[in-house]
Amino acid sequence: MKHRVAILISGRGSNMMSIVAAAGDAYQVALVASDKPDAAGLAWAKARGLPTWALSPKGIGKPAFEAALDAALREAGVGTIALAGYMRLLSDDFVARWRGRIINIHPSLLPKYKGLDTHARAIAAGDSHGGCSVHVVTEELDGGAVLGQTEVPIEPGDTAETLAARVLVAEHRLYPRVLAEFVAQTS
Ligand code: GRF
């Protein structure tokens, strides 16, 4: 049986699309889940006939939201959770329940530039390269073991936007490859 992957998104979902496009022998996408019922990526997944789940934590609180998310993931028989532009912090409790089975893509060369505004920070620091990293999710923000990385050159005149666009192309290649390797090791 193929390894069942859930993808968690909050927005446009371009990394989710690359993971869906690369699904094959290595894994299948068992659920696309979102904390934003109106996320553009969710509409795309629905239109493709993928199983989707969405709930806003607003009004119900984080514990109830995460309990519902956990139930949906277990019902879908998920083995690995891939965060792809999921903009909410998972609680320590949730991370512990799925320990070693959640991965994330972050748009920097970790351990540099954890958190937000990674491209602007790399340019401001005068770095020659930015990039992206896929890492295991732990309780520490963007702090788990790095599973794969791609370096992307910073060109003269780059803005955070132009660099983000160049890095995003690299993200779309890196994430499905690292995910496939990861599930092969954890299946
Ligand atoms: C990506 O740059 C990813 O690295 C970061 O958020 C962005 C999500 O973009 N975590 P998308 O929703 O996958 O298009």
Side-chain angles (χ1 to χ4, degrees):
M1 211 177 89
K2 286 185 204 169
H3 191 96
R4 297 173 71 81
V5 169
I7 311 171
L8 264 60
I9 63 168
S10 298
R12 68 188 165 186
S14 71
N15 278 287
M16 177 265 302
M17 293 174 197
S18 72
I19 290 170
V20 168
D25 293 342
Y27 62 85
Q28 74 180 81
V29 176
L31 192 65
V32 176
S34 182
D35 60 319
K36 294 259 170 61
D38 60 352
L42 204 59
W44 182 90
K46 272 186 202 155
R48 297 278 299 231
L50 290 165
T52 62
W53 177 94
L55 179 67
S56 171
K58 281 183 196 144
I60 63 165
K62 192 161 188 153
F65 168 79
E66 287 191 343
L69 174 61
D70 184 76
L73 293 164
R74 293 187 192 279
E75 186 160 329
V78 166
T80 296
I81 301 170
L83 307 184
Y86 183 72
M87 297 308 286
R88 212 165 276 277
L89 275 180
L90 295 167
S91 69
D92 289 359
D93 242 32
F94 187 94
V95 171
R97 266 181 277 138
W98 290 88
R99 172 139 349 259
R101 296 163 72 193
I102 312 174
I103 65 174
N104 179 45
I105 187 150
H106 182 71
S108 80
L109 296 171
L110 289 172
K112 278 187 156 183
Y113 312 128
K114 296 174 181 174
L116 297 174
D117 298 325
T118 54
H119 304 302
R121 287 154 69 199
I123 292 168
D127 292 356
S128 62
H129 288 78
C132 49
S133 309
V134 177
H135 66 93
V136 177
V137 171
T138 64
E139 287 82 352
E140 190 201 336
L141 177 69
D142 301 325
V146 172
L147 301 168
Q149 251 175 359
T150 306
E151 283 194 359
V152 174
I154 297 178
E155 310 283 3
D158 257 344
T159 63
E161 287 71 30
T162 58
L163 179 57
R166 194 174 310 118
V167 170
L168 194 63
V169 175
E171 291 184 37
H172 296 161
R173 291 199 193 113
L174 178 70
Y175 207 176
R177 177 171 67 71
V178 174
L179 174 61
E181 288 167 7
F182 182 77
V183 303
Q185 281 164 15
T186 55
S187 290

